[in-house]
Amino acid sequence: MNIEVDTHTHTVASGHAYSTLAENIAVASARGLKFLAITDHGPQMPGAAHFWYFLNMRVIPRIMHGVGILRGVEANIINFKGELDIDEEVHQHMDIVLASFHQPVIAPATKNLHTDGIVRAMATGKIDVFAHGGNPAFPIDVDEVAGAAASYNVLVEINNSSFTTSRPGSMKNCVALAEAVARHDGYLTFGSDAHIASKVGAFEECIHLIDTIGFPKDRILTRSGESFLTFLKGKNKQVDLSEFDLLFTR
Ligand SMILES: [Zn+2]
Ligand SMILES: [Zn+2]
């Protein structure tokens, strides 16, 4: 299966990742990705970048080495009202916003509260992707979350690192979440969650999961860079995404 977009990667700016933007782009280009989303951790994660880092992402060219570079953030859900750790000004500069739960920022509570937190974050219209939702530290009601994702036009991420280096015990929850997304006619995205360049575009474990459960491939939005761009354009963003059209004109 060919995947043209990596919606979740980190650079040295996250404080606990080990490659630069240029190194990540080189790997994305070599692997033939159409889009690479740079999604360093939001400001409340220990060691994360200052908010100026996110505002100034406008200096990054739209297309480098044939890859569309998306200015993004992996925002932290900071409470169960679904609020994020980025303010309106940062939000307006972002091409893509991921939202996720991280234990250094929010303490695990109950399944109902985790579910409320992400569903309310989706309802704000400010997020594009719910990242690593299979984390066993933050159990959720998969049907409620998948239903909300489908109605608020949010992608549900299957995170390759959850099966290799991070969040042990995620597999069972990710299977349940993916199956719920299929039942609710939503869409998945794959994120490498690379914290080092060699993992950019690495989706082997995601693909294995999808093949194992027979998830419908046409519900993986990031198989097509062009479909993914159409999705972003449909989200009423302040940013101008039109330069990315150059990726698809011959
Ligand atoms: Zn994360
Ligand atoms: Zn991440």
Side-chain angles (χ1 to χ4, degrees), residues 14-220:
S14 280
H16 60 268
Y18 304 94
S19 300
T20 63
L21 179 60
E23 289 165 340
N24 285 358
I25 292 169
V27 174
S29 180
R31 292 201 164 143
L33 291 182
K34 290 279 190 211
F35 283 106
L36 172 67
I38 307 297
T39 56
D40 284 302
H41 288 287
Q44 285 203 15
M45 190 73 160
H50 191 268
F51 87 101
W52 288 347
Y53 171 82
F54 298 99
L55 285 186
N56 204 38
M57 288 180 96
R58 58 188 170 223
V59 304
I60 302 169
R62 284 331 221 157
I63 298 172
M64 295 176 74
H65 304 287
V67 183
I69 311 300
L70 296 167
R71 303 162 187 167
V73 60
E74 182 181 9
N76 292 290
I77 300 169
I78 57 173
N79 56 43
F80 300 115
K81 293 186 283 183
E83 292 176 322
L84 305 178
D85 64 341
I86 55 168
D87 64 18
E88 189 53 34
E89 193 178 7
V90 169
H91 187 261
Q92 287 176 4
H93 283 75
M94 294 288 102
D95 299 329
I96 179 168
V97 176
L98 280 48
S100 56
F101 292 112
H102 291 111
Q103 286 192 66
V105 176
I106 186 167
T110 64
K111 188 172 177 174
N112 279 347
L113 282 171
H114 306 152
T115 303
D116 285 352
I118 183 56
V119 168
R120 287 170 180 168
M122 289 176 178
T124 64
K126 293 188 172 181
I127 72 172
D128 304 303
V129 175
F130 173 38
H132 52 70
N135 186 356
F138 291 95
I140 52 169
D141 181 321
V142 292
D143 273 292
E144 205 174 318
V145 170
S151 56
Y152 296 121
N153 198 20
V154 171
L155 305 178
V156 172
E157 176 194 85
I158 299 297
N159 183 301
N160 205 70
S161 293
S162 292
F163 311 127
T164 56
T165 50
S166 308
R167 297 169 292 276
S170 288
M171 180 60 81
K172 193 165 68 93
N173 296 339
C174 291
V175 166
L177 185 55
E179 288 176 342
V181 168
R183 278 195 296 279
H184 291 271
D185 295 328
Y187 286 93
L188 291 184
T189 178
F190 293 164
S192 70
D193 202 2
H195 284 64
I196 191 159
S198 59
K199 295 296 184 187
V200 169
F203 302 123
E204 292 82 359
E205 306 299 326
C206 298
I207 291 168
H208 178 70
L209 181 150
I210 260 43
D211 285 344
T212 303
I213 67 173
F215 185 88
K217 292 188 172 55
D218 61 348
R219 295 256 152 213
I220 303 164

